[in-house]
Amino acid sequence: MTLAEISRHCYELAQSYLDLDGSTLDGVINETQNAIRLTRDYFLEDIFTRWSPLDGEISFSYNGGKDCQVLLLLYLGCLWEFFVVQAGKSQYALQFQLFPMHSLPSVFINLDETFPILYRFINESAARYHLELYESCPQCNDGPCDMPSQFRRFLDGPGEGTRAIVIGVRYTDPFGDQLEPIQRTDSNWPDFVRLQPLLHWRLSNVWSFLLYSGEPISELYKVGFTSIGSIEGTTPNPHLLRTKHSGAREKEEGRSPFQWEIDHRYIASATAREEHSEEWLQSLAEQYLPGWYLTDDSLERAGRLKKG
Ligand code: FAD
Ligand code: MG
Ligand code: MG
C-alpha cells in the first residue's frame, strides 16, 4: 500500500468505527467514538489549519507503543480527509484530489535498550505506515543522552523545518494531567509545539479502537505487557498474572474484554502476522493474560520497574 492507500484505509477504518451503533453496544464504544471525534477535530480544525503536514512542518513521535499507533491511525485518516475528502467538496476538486504526500516525517528516540521484538515492530510498522523515521543514535557518543538533547539533534539535523511534533501522551500518563492538546515545549526542551490530541483517551478507548482496527500490534501486548519502556525497566503487568489473580481468571472464563471488537475487527488484516512465536512469547502467554484485559488506568504501568 502507498501512503495514500493506507491513509484512505485509516480514514475508512475510523468512519467504520464511528458508524457502529454505540447505543446498542458496550458503553466504551460510544465513549471511544466521542474520543475519536475530538481528536479528529483537533487535527482538522486546530492543527492542519496552523501547521502544514507538508514540507516537514509537522513530525510524528513514534515508539511503536499502542498510544502513538492509535494516534497514527487517526492522523493518517485525517490526512486523507483533509487532502482528499474535504478538498473534493471544493471548487478545486480535481486539482487537489491527488494525495500530496509519500512519507510521514517521524522520530524515534532510541535511548534505552529497546526490546528487539518491539524494535522489529517499529521498523515493520514504519514501513506499513510510510514513516520516514529518524532514529536517534543509540550510543550517544557525542553529547548528552536524554530526550530533549536527542530532539535538539533531530531539529538541528534532518528535522530542520519542523515546527510541531505529534505525541501520543495521555492525561493518565505520569505528569500528564496538566498537559494541553497544543502547547509549546518546556524551557529545558528545544522550542517547538507539542501536538497532543490523544490526551483525553482512556486505556479502554485505546484498546477498543486498536483491537477493532485489525492492525498488527506489538506482540508484547499479547503476553501481558501494558506499558513498554526499556528491557531492564519493564515486565509484564503483574495484575495480569493468570495464576495469582482469581479476578483475572474469572474474567478470562467469562466474556473476554474487547472480544466484540476482535470478532468484528475492521478487516482481518492480511498483514496481521502470527510470526515471532518464540518460546519466550509462548511461555509468557501461558502465564499472563493479554494486555487489554487490564483497563484500570492507574495499573497500566505496574509492569514498569522504573520510569523510562
Ligand atoms: P509513552 O506512552 O511511552 O509515550 C507517550 C508518547 O510519547 C508516545 O506515544 C510517543 O508519541 C512519544 N514517545 C515516547 N517515547 C518516545 C521515544 N523514545 N521516541 C519517540 N517518541 C516517543 N516532557 C516535558 O516535561 N516537557 C516537554 O516540553 C516535553 N516535550 C516533549 C516533546 C516530545 C516530542 C516528546 C515525544 C516528549 C516530550 N516530553 C516533554 C516528554 C513527554 O511528556 C513524556 O514524558 C514522554 O513522551 C515519555 O512518555 P512515557 O514513556 O511516559 O509514555
Ligand atoms: Mg503510553
Ligand atoms: Mg515510554
Side-chain angles (χ1 to χ4, degrees), residues 126-139:
R128 175 168 173 78
Y129 302 124
H130 294 268
L131 303 186
E132 193 185 313
L133 193 63
Y134 167 86
E135 183 183 332
S136 70
C137 79
Q139 282 86 26

Side-chain angles (χ1 to χ4, degrees), residues 69-245:
Q69 188 177 2
V70 161
L71 191 53
L72 183 55
L73 297 176
L74 296 173
Y75 182 64
L76 289 169
C78 286
L79 287 177
W80 182 263
E81 187 161 356
F82 185 70
F83 285 121
V84 180
V85 181
Q86 290 189 350
K89 291 181 189 143
S90 82
Q91 57 180 318
Y92 305 110
L94 281 176
Q95 190 183 349
F96 286 102
Q97 270 178 30
L98 286 176
F99 191 80
M101 298 173 71
H102 302 287
S103 61
L104 279 190
S106 47
V107 201
F108 169 48
I109 305 299
N110 193 0
L111 276 187
D112 304 315
E113 211 184 333
T114 306
F115 284 91
I117 199 166
L118 177 62
Y119 190 70
R120 268 207 300 283
F121 176 75
I122 291 172
N123 285 304
E124 286 165 3
S125 53
R128 175 168 173 78
Y129 302 124
H130 294 268
L131 303 186
E132 193 185 313
L133 193 63
Y134 167 86
E135 183 183 332
S136 70
C137 79
Q139 282 86 26
C140 286
N141 288 330
D142 47 347
C145 192
D146 52 34
M147 287 267 274
S149 312
Q150 293 303 312
F151 272 102
R152 189 164 285 115
R153 288 167 74 110
F154 168 67
L155 295 166
D156 288 345
E160 196 194 356
T162 303
R163 295 176 54 214
I165 301 183
V166 185
I167 310 169
V169 69
R170 295 188 287 117
Y171 284 129
T172 53
D173 285 333
F175 314 107
D177 56 342
Q178 299 299 320
L179 295 174
E180 291 163 30
I182 298 177
Q183 68 186 133
R184 296 208 84 84
T185 46
D186 292 326
S187 55
N188 54 333
W189 277 70
D191 184 40
F192 58 86
V193 176
R194 287 183 273 177
L195 305 175
Q196 305 171 143
L198 198 76
L199 281 175
H200 56 287
W201 283 60
R202 294 188 308 116
L203 207 40
S204 298
N205 308 132
V206 170
W207 284 127
S208 179
F209 184 65
L210 195 54
L211 293 170
Y212 177 81
S213 77
E215 289 293 298
I217 62 172
S218 168
E219 299 289 323
L220 291 174
Y221 292 126
K222 299 180 183 171
V223 295
F225 288 80
T226 55
S227 170
I228 308 168
S230 66
I231 295 184
E232 295 235 310
T234 312
T235 66
N237 194 311
H239 295 277
L240 291 175
L241 206 49
R242 290 179 191 269
T243 47
K244 287 205 180 135
H245 295 271

Side-chain angles (χ1 to χ4, degrees), residues 63 65-68 168-170 173 221 226-227 300-301 304:
N63 64 357
K66 61 191 185 312
D67 305 300
C68 53
V169 69
R170 295 188 287 117
D173 285 333
Y221 292 126
T226 55
S227 170
E300 180 187 354
R301 285 170 187 258
R304 295 283 285 270

